[in-house]
Amino acid sequence: MCGIMGYVGPRPAAPVLLEGLRRLEYRGYDSAGIAVERDGSIEVVKAAGKLDRLAELLDGAAPAGSVGIGHTRWATHGRPTDANAHPHCDPTGDFVVVHNGIIENFYDLREELVANGHEFASETDTEVLAHLIGEEYDGDLAAAVRTAVDRAQGAYALVVMSTRDPDKIVAVRMISPLVVGLGDGETFLASDIPAIIEHTREVLIVEDGEMVTITRDGVTLETMAGEAVDRDPLVVEWDVAQAERGGFQHFMLKEIHEQPTALAETLRGRLQVDGKVSLDAIDLPGFAAGLQRIWITACGTAYHAGVAGKEVLETLLRVPVDVVYAHELRYRDPLIQPGDLVIAISQSGETVDTLVAARLAQDKGARLLAITNVVGSTLSREADDVLYTRAGPEIAVASTKAYLTQLCALYLLALRFGSERGVLSSGRVAALAERLLDLPRQAEQALGNAEHVAEVARRISNAQDVYFIGRGLDHAVAMEGSLKLKEISYIHSEAMPAGELKHGTLALIGEGVPVVAIVTQQHVYDKSVSAIQEVRARGAVTVAVAYDDDEEIERYADEVLRIPRTADLLSAPLAAIPLQLLAYYAALEGGHDIDQPRNLAKSVTVE
């Protein structure tokens, strides 16, 4: 996820671009840059780091001109450096692009261009697009962009300027969002409405597979086949704060609703319907075949993803998996052996306990695989292998889409290792792959039940204690549901295996105490139902998370939060969604600061 800004009009472009990028910095803050066109030349200014560094470079030295594009980056290919910052140019400097998304076949395209004599200045997939467009240009910028897009596979938004075709911006949406702001004698382009709402509230939404051309004469919208599109603009009535949150009341709710897209990004280009898994630069065939033990280390929400991952990996690979809190592992003398695989999970890649635990594992001869969201983070640099989750920036302290994409990454690893170890039949791999590829759609379905979840949340929002129970994979999800509730609603909650209730906790269950039971694992379904009956007999308010076709559960639960039916082993991401919403609406009912709960920070970088 990156921020894109463009401007054509009478004003100096640089201040407009910089202001728009400030509104979009939540979409990426690894680096930033602008390109401004004037009198047949384009000047590019860009820098690694947050937007303030770019502002310093522009202070008193902003390029003149009233047509320009800008970008704030969330790195996916190449570390956050000056060279990798956008905009990118072709070798002549005549074609300049900014880009949000991923070009899946960039390596093949780059190799082809290098063979044709092209030299590259960065590590990014984006620069390939600039070279492609320059190579394809034959007097028509839009035609060159069409040809380049036809060759570039992936999900992205692309914005182009050229000295060969001045006073013009050409942009394409291939899944990643783009909007056009229609001002008085000026036009704005952005990846999100916050960037332009200060200037205009009349917005044209660019749909998937469409191209927009902006000149001083106005806006042309068409399909990639060149057919004209006639669409009425949208009048935005949000205030600026709402616009930054995409119209949602809080960033957490926005990020919960971004999860279908985040899951799709984690899977994109990595999993085929037949079960073939391609994991970027990870190359583990020989290693995976001889693997004897896996360790997972993390903290907080990432640890809970690891607990679910243990269930999945052991089930599919038949290899023992240890899950250890990083802050415990670092002070132990763990029995990690050379040849073991250690998976360290951290959204930021900067969690200090996870970093120290990862280094300890490497010192003991283990191979370190990082699952992280941030390209160029310390964990990604130090690991032997990296699997990026591609979740995009997460602003709310309470993690949501990071958790789901970490789960998704672990599923991808399980399928990859299972195939390489020969323990999974091609039929089972294909069946799981089909279900996994359907998760983004099913996550969207699960979000459709938010109104009912809000009603249930109001029912439990005054509770002093809430208990979460489940068996197997459901217990792993219960742990995350409990954490979400306590960290933003400040209601005390505990999670435990359902069978553990009668070993002490049942003494705390009385009239009106809410108990949330996750019941997606069919092989222990009857046992989970028995636990619900035990607490209900003592007056508990029972809330179940169950499949949408489970009719029996309504006999035992006072409230049921529904998720779409999937393979039991893949239920964790879907089951987490209603629990995230439950926590959100309970906190909303309590009037709490949901995005920045007390005493908590987004990334724990100190002991």
Side-chain angles (χ1 to χ4, degrees), residues 194-336:
I196 59 179
I197 200 170
E198 283 287 289
H199 306 291
T200 180
R201 292 178 179 269
E202 195 171 357
V203 174
L204 188 64
I205 306 297
V206 182
E207 299 289 355
D208 187 29
E210 292 179 348
M211 171 186 286
V212 60
T213 301
I214 302 171
T215 68
R216 296 192 185 279
D217 296 326
V219 177
T220 301
L221 185 63
E222 54 192 340
T223 68
M224 292 307 296
E227 298 173 356
V229 175
D230 184 14
R231 180 175 299 125
D232 292 332
L234 167 76
V235 177
V236 179
E237 297 180 355
W238 307 331
D239 61 27
V240 173
Q242 282 179 305
E244 290 175 347
R245 298 188 295 268
F248 292 98
Q249 191 170 352
H250 296 92
F251 275 111
M252 181 180 177
L253 187 60
K254 176 176 183 284
E255 288 158 7
I256 289 172
H257 281 266
E258 287 176 343
Q259 290 180 130
T261 300
L263 284 169
E265 289 298 322
T266 306
L267 292 168
R268 195 175 309 283
R270 291 170 167 170
L271 180 63
Q272 307 302 319
V273 177
D274 63 1
K276 182 180 178 182
V277 181
S278 302
L279 298 181
D280 304 329
I282 297 177
D283 184 19
L284 298 173
F287 180 82
L291 188 59
Q292 297 297 310
R293 181 173 290 275
I294 298 172
W295 299 74
I296 299 176
T297 189
C299 302
T301 285
Y303 174 82
H304 296 157
V307 175
K310 168 185 170 68
E311 191 82 17
V312 173
L313 290 166
E314 287 190 337
T315 298
L316 294 180
L317 305 186
R318 312 309 300 161
V319 173
V321 179
D322 290 282
V323 187
V324 187
Y325 284 111
H327 44 75
E328 294 295 313
L329 183 67
R330 62 180 293 191
Y331 294 115
R332 288 171 47 185
D333 184 16
L335 300 177
I336 297 174

Side-chain angles (χ1 to χ4, degrees), residues 391-404:
E394 194 174 64
I395 307 302
V397 168
S399 182
T400 52
K401 61 180 180 173
Y403 172 71
L404 258 67

Side-chain angles (χ1 to χ4, degrees), residues 339-353:
D340 288 354
L341 176 68
V342 173
I343 302 173
I345 309 175
S346 167
Q347 188 279 141
S348 67
E350 303 294 345
T351 307
V352 65
D353 290 314

Side-chain angles (χ1 to χ4, degrees), residues 65 112 123 131 153 168 193 263 276 358 364 407 409 414 437 441 449 458 494 507 518 527-528 558 580 585-586 602:
E112 177 185 327
E123 304 168 295
H131 287 241
Q153 301 166 9
K168 178 184 290 185
I193 291 172
L263 284 169
K276 182 180 178 182
K364 288 182 171 291
L407 289 174
L437 288 167
R441 182 191 65 81
N449 298 323
R458 284 191 286 272
E494 291 183 38
I518 299 87
K527 297 295 184 183
S528 296
D558 299 305
Q580 294 167 348
Y585 287 113
K602 183 63 182 171

Side-chain angles (χ1 to χ4, degrees), residues 513-533:
V513 173
V515 176
V516 181
I518 299 87
V519 285
T520 71
Q521 302 301 292
Q522 300 308 295
H523 69 290
V524 289
Y525 183 89
D526 291 340
K527 297 295 184 183
S528 296
V529 165
S530 294
I532 296 175
Q533 290 178 301

Side-chain angles (χ1 to χ4, degrees), residues 286-514:
F287 180 82
L291 188 59
Q292 297 297 310
R293 181 173 290 275
I294 298 172
W295 299 74
I296 299 176
T297 189
C299 302
T301 285
Y303 174 82
H304 296 157
V307 175
K310 168 185 170 68
E311 191 82 17
V312 173
L313 290 166
E314 287 190 337
T315 298
L316 294 180
L317 305 186
R318 312 309 300 161
V319 173
V321 179
D322 290 282
V323 187
V324 187
Y325 284 111
H327 44 75
E328 294 295 313
L329 183 67
R330 62 180 293 191
Y331 294 115
R332 288 171 47 185
D333 184 16
L335 300 177
I336 297 174
Q337 302 293 324
D340 288 354
L341 176 68
V342 173
I343 302 173
I345 309 175
S346 167
Q347 188 279 141
S348 67
E350 303 294 345
T351 307
V352 65
D353 290 314
T354 305
L355 289 173
V356 175
R359 290 164 184 159
L360 172 64
Q362 286 183 310
D363 289 344
K364 288 182 171 291
R367 183 162 182 162
L368 177 64
L369 190 153
I371 294 178
T372 184
N373 195 31
V374 181
V375 175
S377 60
T378 303
L379 183 61
S380 71
R381 294 196 307 271
E382 295 185 4
D384 300 298
D385 304 283
V386 184
L387 182 51
Y388 292 112
T389 55
R390 303 174 180 168
E394 194 174 64
I395 307 302
V397 168
S399 182
T400 52
K401 61 180 180 173
Y403 172 71
L404 258 67
T405 55
Q406 287 163 359
L407 289 174
C408 194
L410 287 162
Y411 286 131
L412 287 171
L413 285 174
L415 291 184
R416 171 74 177 270
F417 287 179
S419 296
E420 290 175 352
R421 290 175 62 83
V423 295
L424 294 179
S425 68
S426 59
R428 188 173 190 200
V429 170
L432 287 170
E434 183 179 7
R435 292 281 198 168
L436 194 54
L437 288 167
D438 199 34
L439 278 182
R441 182 191 65 81
Q442 292 188 308
E444 194 72 59
Q445 273 186 268
L447 289 167
N449 298 323
E451 188 173 327
H452 176 58
V453 178
E455 293 174 3
V456 176
R458 284 191 286 272
R459 184 173 179 180
I460 70 168
S461 62
N462 291 321
Q464 297 297 308
D465 307 281
V466 178
Y467 296 92
F468 290 74
I469 61 173
R471 288 178 180 268
L473 193 58
D474 286 339
H475 172 235
V477 178
M479 294 172 71
E480 177 60 12
S482 174
L483 175 63
K484 283 293 145 298
L485 185 69
K486 72 177 69 171
E487 66 184 336
I488 62 171
S489 75
Y490 312 148
I491 298 171
H492 168 258
S493 67
E494 291 183 38
M496 66 200 72
E500 191 65 16
L501 276 168
K502 53 185 173 288
H503 294 281
T505 304
L506 205 56
L508 301 175
I509 305 299
E511 195 68 35
V513 173

Side-chain angles (χ1 to χ4, degrees), residues 141-174:
L141 182 59
V145 172
R146 278 194 184 90
T147 304
V149 167
D150 190 53
R151 298 179 62 189
Q153 301 166 9
Y156 54 89
L158 170 66
V159 184
V160 186
M161 288 171 38
S162 175
T163 60
R164 311 266 190 96
D165 207 343
D167 290 347
K168 178 184 290 185
I169 294 174
V170 176
V172 172
R173 174 178 178 176
M174 301 297 288

